[in-house]
């Protein structure tokens, strides 16, 4: 049980596995009013940067869950580095079936709503671990500018134009699901650049050291086209944000 190897190779140098900068991750923690003693559940936590840095900055504790053994090893090392290993724990499990043993103050899934087959199912899963009055955090793409055709959507690594709504449509969708939007922090182009461009350097260094690996041709082909596709398509059309919700 693990993530595809190609994904973990490209993002093995990342501490944040989404288009947020470290500063935006810190801003999100301040925006939602974290306080000492709060408990946070982070499903599909990646390398644990959110939970570890929030624990150090705000005195929160909690649990991160991920399917990647590579990322979880990095998360535990980060917890040791920041001196919060006694306050946070990381669990190797399929996040799509994980429910906290005790209700938490904040339940989050940033950029992996596939664990619930989309936003509605992911919110339902998160809510099973949330105390009454707690906060849900969901990170999700949206169209910053609607692509003119399906080819452009695919160039953004999105299956179809219907996969994501524009920002106002995404915000509007939370109400019928029974939630108020109470905060949001949106990624910026510089965050997309850091997230995507860092993959190129990691990939190139991996290729230099592993030229005979069976996966090398696939990663080589991706690196050949990724910078131009990012500049021409994804940077323009695709947005991403984290939305804080409370049940009505």
């Amino acid at each position: 049980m693990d993530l595809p190897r190609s994904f973990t190779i490209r993002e093995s140098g990342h501490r944040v596995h989404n288009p947020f900068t470290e500063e935006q991750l810190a801003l999100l923690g301040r925006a939602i009013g974290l306080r000492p003693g709060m408990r946070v559940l982070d499903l599909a936590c990646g390398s644990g940067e959110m939970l570890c840095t929030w624990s150090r900055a705000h005195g929160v504790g909690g649990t991160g869950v991920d399917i990647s053994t590579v990322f979880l090893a990095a998360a535990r090392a980060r917890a040791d580095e920041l001196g919060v290993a006694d306050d946070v724990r990381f669990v190797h499990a399929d996040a799509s079936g994980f429910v906290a043993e005790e209700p938490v103050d904040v339940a989050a899934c940033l950029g992996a709503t596939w664990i619930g087959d989309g936003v509605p199912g992911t919110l339902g899963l998160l809510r099973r671990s949330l105390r009454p009055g707690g906060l849900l955090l969901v990170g999700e793409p949206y169209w910053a500018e609607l692509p003119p055709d399906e080819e452009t959507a695919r160039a953004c690594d999105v299956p179809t134009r219907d996969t994501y709504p524009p920002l106002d449509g995404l915000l509007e969708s939370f109400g019928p699901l029974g939630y108020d939007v109470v905060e949001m922090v949106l990624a910026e182009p510089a965050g997309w650049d850091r997230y995507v461009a860092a993959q190129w350097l990691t990939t190139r260094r991996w290729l230099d050291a592993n030229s005979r690996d069976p996966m090398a041709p696939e990663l080589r082909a991706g690196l050949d086209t990724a910078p131009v596709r990012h500049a021409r398509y994804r940077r323009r059309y695709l947005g991403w944000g984290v939305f804080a919700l409370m049940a009505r």
Side-chain angles (χ1 to χ4, degrees):
M1 182 174 60
D2 216 320
L3 287 174
R5 184 168 174 245
S6 59
F7 182 83
T8 56
I9 289 172
R10 286 193 299 268
E11 298 202 9
S12 60
H14 285 52
R15 287 213 299 249
V16 181
H17 299 277
N18 58 57
F20 262 16
T21 62
E22 294 175 13
E23 292 76 15
Q24 285 180 303
L25 203 59
L27 171 61
L28 177 62
R30 296 193 300 271
I32 63 173
L34 293 174
R35 301 185 304 277
M38 281 186 164
R39 305 296 295 176
V40 178
L41 174 67
D42 187 6
L43 296 185
C45 67
S47 297
E49 187 72 2
M50 183 176 80
L51 194 55
C52 290
T53 55
W54 283 4
S55 182
R56 183 182 66 171
H58 301 283
V60 303
T63 301
V65 182
D66 205 276
I67 201 172
S68 170
T69 54
V70 173
F71 293 162
L72 288 177
R76 294 182 180 113
R78 185 65 166 153
D80 287 336
E81 177 186 358
L82 296 184
V84 297
D86 291 337
D87 301 307
V88 299
R89 70 182 184 113
F90 294 97
V91 178
H92 180 230
D94 182 352
S96 65
F98 191 91
V99 178
E101 295 177 0
E102 297 182 2
V104 300
D105 300 287
V106 179
C109 176
L110 273 54
T113 55
W114 51 264
I115 67 171
D117 293 323
V119 171
T122 299
L123 292 175
L125 173 63
L126 291 171
R127 193 167 177 177
R128 293 171 62 189
S129 296
L130 193 68
R131 68 164 178 80
L135 280 173
L136 299 174
L137 298 180
V138 61
E140 182 72 355
Y142 59 87
W143 291 123
E145 181 180 336
L146 191 65
D149 49 46
E150 296 294 342
E151 182 181 359
T152 302
R154 290 192 295 271
C156 297
D157 296 320
V158 177
T160 72
R161 289 200 303 170
D162 293 337
T163 302
Y164 300 123
L167 177 59
D168 60 338
L170 178 58
L171 292 169
E172 191 175 37
S173 72
F174 295 126
L177 296 174
Y179 299 98
D180 288 323
V181 181
V182 296
E183 254 293 1
M184 70 177 187
V185 178
L186 303 182
E188 300 174 350
W192 272 113
D193 294 343
R194 297 301 345 115
Y195 173 55
V196 177
Q199 297 176 15
W200 309 337
L201 180 58
T202 299
T203 300
R204 173 54 196 267
R205 286 176 170 166
W206 184 90
L207 285 167
D208 288 347
N210 300 273
S211 60
R212 297 187 178 182
D213 190 283
M215 191 156 284
E218 174 188 337
L219 293 179
R220 177 71 258 177
L223 183 59
D224 287 345
T225 61
V228 172
R229 285 193 300 112
H230 170 63
R232 185 173 293 160
Y233 299 108
R234 180 151 52 176
R235 198 176 193 272
R236 173 178 176 179
Y237 291 102
L238 197 59
W240 194 88
V242 177
F243 306 91
L245 311 174
M246 296 181 70
R248 290 180 173 174

